[in-house]
Amino acid sequence: MQNRFRANARFGGQRAIVALMLREMSTTYGRSPGGYIWAILSPVAAIAFLSLAFSAFFHTPPIGNSFAMFYATGMVPFLMFNDIQNKVSQSLMYSKQLLAYPKVTFLDALIARFLLNFMTQLLVAYIIFGGTMLFFEGTLSIDILTVLDGLLLAAQLGLGIGTLNCFIYLRFPVWQQMWSVLSRPLFLVSCTMIMFDGIPEPFRDWLWWNPLVHVVGLVREGFYDGYDGYYISSKYVMLVAMVCFALGLLFLRRHHRDLFER
């Protein structure tokens, strides 16, 4: 009887996650005219703009032969982290009404938003990288496993920081606006437009503590044969992600119902 109860609870949780994913697919991507197309066109437009702008001043990118591929390897992992972090951090506010049902837990809402947006960004990465290689840089020898490791780290970091922010958003609503302002320079200090190797000291040592620098470096190491990402520490990124995720889950488990009743 106890095993049957656990199986039913597990199945009910899976159904809730799928239902939440379908709900977000219809509300986030189904109502706008562009839908999923805009999720692809937005980073493509940014990469194209950066490529045209910098190719007018420089003959070659810092690594490789294609400006488009260089900026794609920087922007795609950053955007994966940023999108997942933003969506996960707002998951409880987004599904607040559904959390009133006893079979829908706060963890279901977190997992549903993470899975849907991770799969979306993985599809976007495949299309952008594939299209860039086809039209701009077809001679690359790619280490697919290394690239996937980098994207998975970006997703884990987005889940971890997003989970912690999910609690802080509910506890201190002003933090949402503060985080929006404080996180804007992340794009510039995550080595998406430059190489970590070219940054002078002591700024290089300071930037090392930004986990996104390691994520971007790992993706580029997978695309550019011979590039030595000596500074990359996957363990450091995973540690930051796991600590943030554990703290976020701990606080949400203890306080999420009280925060909703405020």
Side-chain angles (χ1 to χ4, degrees), residues 81 111 157 234:
F81 156 79
I111 294 174
L157 188 62
S234 298

Side-chain angles (χ1 to χ4, degrees), residues 106 163 167 244-256:
F106 76 89
T163 302
F167 165 75
C244 291
F245 183 67
L247 287 175
L249 282 185
L250 176 64
F251 292 139
L252 285 172
R253 183 178 180 181
R254 291 185 176 183
H255 304 293
H256 75 280

Side-chain angles (χ1 to χ4, degrees), residues 13-25:
Q14 294 172 354
R15 289 180 59 187
I17 291 172
V18 172
L20 289 168
M21 291 175 65
L22 293 174
R23 173 176 176 263
E24 180 165 355
M25 288 177 65

Side-chain angles (χ1 to χ4, degrees), residues 43-55 71:
V44 167
I47 293 169
F49 174 78
L50 289 173
S51 300
L52 290 174
F54 281 89
S55 62
Y71 293 121

Side-chain angles (χ1 to χ4, degrees), residues 7-218:
N8 290 335
R10 198 159 48 239
F11 180 68
Q14 294 172 354
R15 289 180 59 187
I17 291 172
V18 172
L20 289 168
M21 291 175 65
L22 293 174
R23 173 176 176 263
E24 180 165 355
M25 288 177 65
S26 63
T27 56
T28 303
Y29 298 105
R31 292 182 179 179
S32 60
Y36 276 98
I37 298 177
W38 179 247
I40 300 170
L41 291 181
S42 179
V44 167
I47 293 169
F49 174 78
L50 289 173
S51 300
L52 290 174
F54 281 89
S55 62
F57 297 97
F58 303 98
H59 295 292
T60 58
I63 188 172
N65 300 315
S66 168
F67 281 96
M69 180 56 73
F70 176 73
Y71 293 121
T73 54
M75 289 193 64
V76 168
F78 176 83
L79 291 177
M80 174 173 283
F81 156 79
N82 196 49
D83 183 74
I84 291 176
Q85 185 277 136
N86 282 332
K87 296 296 177 59
V88 171
S89 63
Q90 301 179 46
S91 56
L92 297 195
M93 293 185 290
Y94 179 79
S95 303
K96 182 177 180 179
Q97 295 178 341
L98 296 178
L99 292 175
Y101 295 94
K103 291 186 177 181
V104 181
T105 68
F106 76 89
L107 190 58
D108 294 334
L110 291 173
I111 294 174
R113 275 217 140 183
F114 168 73
L115 288 177
L116 176 60
N117 290 284
F118 172 61
M119 290 187 294
T120 300
Q121 290 302 314
L122 205 59
L123 176 63
V124 171
Y126 175 78
I127 293 174
I128 291 178
F129 285 146
T132 305
M133 288 186 61
L134 180 64
F135 292 104
F136 298 101
E137 181 108 45
T139 60
L140 287 176
S141 177
I142 301 176
D143 186 345
I144 296 178
L145 292 180
T146 301
V147 174
L148 286 176
D149 283 345
L151 295 178
L152 286 173
L153 283 179
Q156 291 173 19
L157 188 62
L159 174 63
I161 295 179
T163 302
L164 182 58
N165 271 341
C166 187
F167 165 75
I168 301 176
Y169 282 6
L170 293 173
R171 182 65 181 85
F172 307 102
V174 70
W175 175 249
Q176 186 169 359
Q177 287 73 34
M178 292 176 61
W179 174 258
S180 177
V181 174
L182 294 174
S183 62
R184 286 176 186 174
L186 271 180
F187 179 76
L188 298 176
V189 298
S190 299
C191 294
T192 55
M193 301 171 60
I194 54 178
M195 297 295 292
F196 179 81
D197 314 69
I199 300 174
E201 298 289 359
F203 306 107
R204 188 190 307 174
D205 290 338
W206 299 346
L207 286 183
W208 188 92
W209 295 101
N210 178 1
L212 286 171
V213 169
H214 303 260
V215 171
V216 172
L218 189 59

